[in-house]
Amino acid sequence: RLQHQTISTFVNTIFYFHLKYPEMNPSHPQLLPTPTQPPPQNIFHPQRRKRIRDLLRHIPTFAFRFIRLMSFVCFLLPAFVVFVWHYLTCDRVAVYYGDLGDCYCDDDGGDCGSAENEVGSANDGKKRISKTSTGESKSCRKRRSPLLSRHYLDIYGSRTHFPRMNRTSPSPNSYSCKNSGCNNKGKKPVVIFLTGGAWIIGYRMWGTLLGRALAPFGILVIVPDYRNFPAVNISQMVDDVDKSIDWVFNNVEEYGGDKEKIVLVGQSAGAHIGGVVVARKVRDWIRMKSVGLGWDIQNCNHFSNELPPLASTYQPFDLKGFISTSAPHNLVTMREVFHRHGLSSSVQRSIFGGAESSARKHDNDGDDNHLFEKWSPYHLVQKCRLDYAEME
């Protein structure tokens, strides 16, 4: 907010002088030299002195807000340095959860085919043995994960070991798998944390403090990253989060986690995206049950113009819980609040409306509420309740 006020003051000052004194703009037509009206050159001209006084009158306001912004940054800098230090030195493993694409073979030409034996996980780039259509074995490698991709997740606590102690003290050093919720096989309960950031500045590093706080108590914390606006809109964000959750169910046991004890936690925009994912998974489950009951999905009013099912394979009841904090669950009622806090109506339409909003950019806010209802957890849950009641 301080940065926004500082920049706004500077920009408004420039616009003010361009409107009140158009001759100060070098590209303004009134500055073009003409035989009858040459531009004033005398710095002591009364009109120019008045313009300079007006400009100097706005400099203190701009300087005050700029100094306040820099002071705010300086005060936060030590804490941010410590934050980055914890992120780089804590028990953290970064794993790529996106699609790696086709593998490539060491021999020239030919397709890798289907793998018979695979060494290591699917995402580590290690060799695997596959057979071609002629039955010959080839040594193949998966394509390496993109370095600058946002399809990474951080796993906290996978290398943390606990002493076998029977004390029930709340001290982190006294916790073991027995008193921290691990099962008999030593697997840890899992928390998937979705960071916030107004759908624009979200990043997986923002979950470092939560991972650092829970890892000593025998909890595996996984913080997935997802793409932000303006690179993508809400549809791709939901797909990224859903893909990361599906990856956790399929691979978390390799890092000591228990896939039967997974809880989803979200904060702010991350909680909104998590709510959309959970509600849509329930919606997909109801859709699947409706097909089993003989409903005509194509002609059913409840499922007309619905979003396609998510690509993940886990079921909504596989999650043991969903915790939402500081989340905008009803996007329709929050539109004016977003606008007052700097997220303009046009930006909201771009985030939640996508391509459809561009065709309706001249509509009023009340005319395109259906675009926001598609991505509003409140409205999705209401649809799930009505459809489930009718299914029974």
Side-chain angles (χ1 to χ4, degrees):
R1 184 175 299 177
L2 293 174
Q3 181 181 11
H4 178 268
Q5 293 178 353
T6 304
I7 297 176
S8 298
T9 302
F10 177 76
V11 174
N12 291 336
T13 302
I14 299 300
F15 285 169
Y16 169 78
F17 285 105
H18 279 198
L19 292 176
K20 188 172 182 180
Y21 307 110
E23 63 273 15
M24 292 188 65
N25 185 357
S27 60
H28 196 276
Q30 294 186 9
L31 277 185
L32 297 178
T34 58
T36 58
Q37 187 182 3
Q41 300 295 334
N42 187 5
I43 191 174
F44 300 104
H45 191 276
Q47 185 179 3
R48 176 156 293 187
R49 287 202 304 267
K50 185 177 184 304
R51 293 197 298 266
I52 294 176
R53 285 196 303 268
D54 290 341
L55 178 61
L56 296 177
R57 183 164 53 91
H58 288 80
I59 288 180
T61 302
F62 174 77
F64 171 75
R65 293 185 175 181
F66 181 78
I67 295 174
R68 186 174 62 173
L69 175 62
M70 292 297 101
S71 302
F72 182 75
V73 172
C74 293
F75 285 137
L76 288 183
L77 186 59
F80 188 76
V81 170
V82 176
F83 183 83
V84 174
W85 173 257
H86 289 324
Y87 180 74
L88 297 177
T89 60
C90 65
D91 179 9
R92 179 181 62 89
V93 178
V95 182
Y96 183 76
Y97 69 84
D99 296 329
L100 290 175
D102 298 330
C103 59
Y104 63 93
C105 297
D106 292 342
D107 298 335
D108 294 335
D111 188 11
C112 285
S114 59
E116 295 290 338
N117 297 314
E118 191 168 331
V119 182
S121 63
N123 295 336
D124 57 7
K126 295 183 179 180
K127 287 186 177 181
R128 70 178 185 179
I129 306 301
S130 62
K131 291 185 178 181
T132 61
S133 59
T134 60
E136 299 178 356
S137 298
K138 285 189 176 183
S139 177
C140 301
R141 296 177 181 269
K142 294 290 286 185
R143 297 189 186 276
R144 295 187 180 276
S145 55
L147 180 61
L148 301 179
S149 173
R150 297 298 298 269
H151 293 155
Y152 278 90
L153 51 82
D154 291 332
I155 303 177
Y156 297 88
S158 62
R159 296 172 294 186
T160 302
H161 301 283
F162 308 94
R164 291 288 181 175
M165 303 177 65
N166 295 324
R167 292 160 45 190
T168 58
S169 170
S171 173
N173 296 329
S174 66
Y175 269 71
S176 65
C177 282
K178 181 178 179 180
N179 53 34
S180 62
C182 298
N183 57 23
N184 295 330
K185 296 181 180 181
K187 297 179 181 179
K188 305 174 183 178
V190 181
V191 170
I192 304 176
F193 180 64
L194 305 176
T195 60
W199 305 278
I200 298 175
I201 58 173
Y203 189 55
R204 68 182 191 269
M205 189 174 69
W206 309 154
T208 298
L209 297 182
L210 180 66
R212 186 171 178 266
L214 297 182
F217 293 92
I219 300 176
L220 198 69
V221 180
I222 300 178
V223 184
D225 202 1
Y226 55 89
R227 292 170 292 176
N228 296 149
F229 179 82
V232 296
N233 58 22
I234 187 63
S235 178
Q236 286 77 24
M237 299 181 203
V238 170
D239 291 340
D240 289 349
V241 171
D242 180 62
K243 184 184 297 184
S244 66
I245 297 175
D246 195 43
W247 184 96
V248 172
F249 276 103
N250 295 330
N251 301 275
V252 71
E253 291 186 344
E254 300 179 10
Y255 299 89
D258 188 359
K259 68 177 182 180
E260 296 181 356
K261 295 183 179 180
I262 298 180
V263 175
L264 182 65
V265 182
Q267 188 268 334
S268 189
H272 164 263
I273 298 175
V276 172
V277 171
V278 173
R280 285 188 58 183
K281 290 298 293 185
V282 175
R283 187 78 169 155
D284 295 343
W285 180 82
I286 295 176
R287 187 199 306 258
M288 180 183 63
K289 293 295 182 181
S290 302
V291 173
L293 295 176
W295 288 12
D296 187 359
I297 299 298
Q298 301 297 331
N299 299 323
C300 182
N301 293 330
H302 296 288
F303 295 101
S304 60
N305 299 324
E306 286 292 332
L307 296 169
L310 295 173
S312 56
T313 58
Y314 68 92
Q315 298 298 326
F317 44 79
D318 292 336
L319 290 169
K320 299 308 177 184
F322 172 56
I323 302 176
S324 174
T325 59
S326 307
H329 291 296
N330 192 333
L331 293 181
V332 176
T333 59
M334 290 293 294
R335 296 183 65 177
E336 182 62 29
V337 179
F338 291 154
H339 184 76
R340 290 200 305 266
H341 286 77
L343 201 64
S344 63
S345 299
S346 59
V347 174
Q348 295 180 47
R349 292 189 184 97
S350 300
I351 295 176
F352 302 108
E356 187 176 353
S357 66
S358 60
R360 304 173 58 91
K361 60 183 179 180
H362 299 296
D363 293 353
N364 297 325
D365 288 347
D367 297 337
D368 57 356
N369 282 337
H370 68 282
L371 298 177
F372 291 79
E373 291 178 0
K374 288 183 178 180
W375 306 105
S376 176
Y378 171 80
H379 294 87
L380 291 174
V381 169
Q382 294 301 319
K383 291 181 181 180
C384 292
R385 291 179 59 185
L386 294 175
D387 294 339
Y388 187 77
E390 292 191 7
M391 187 178 65
E392 291 183 334

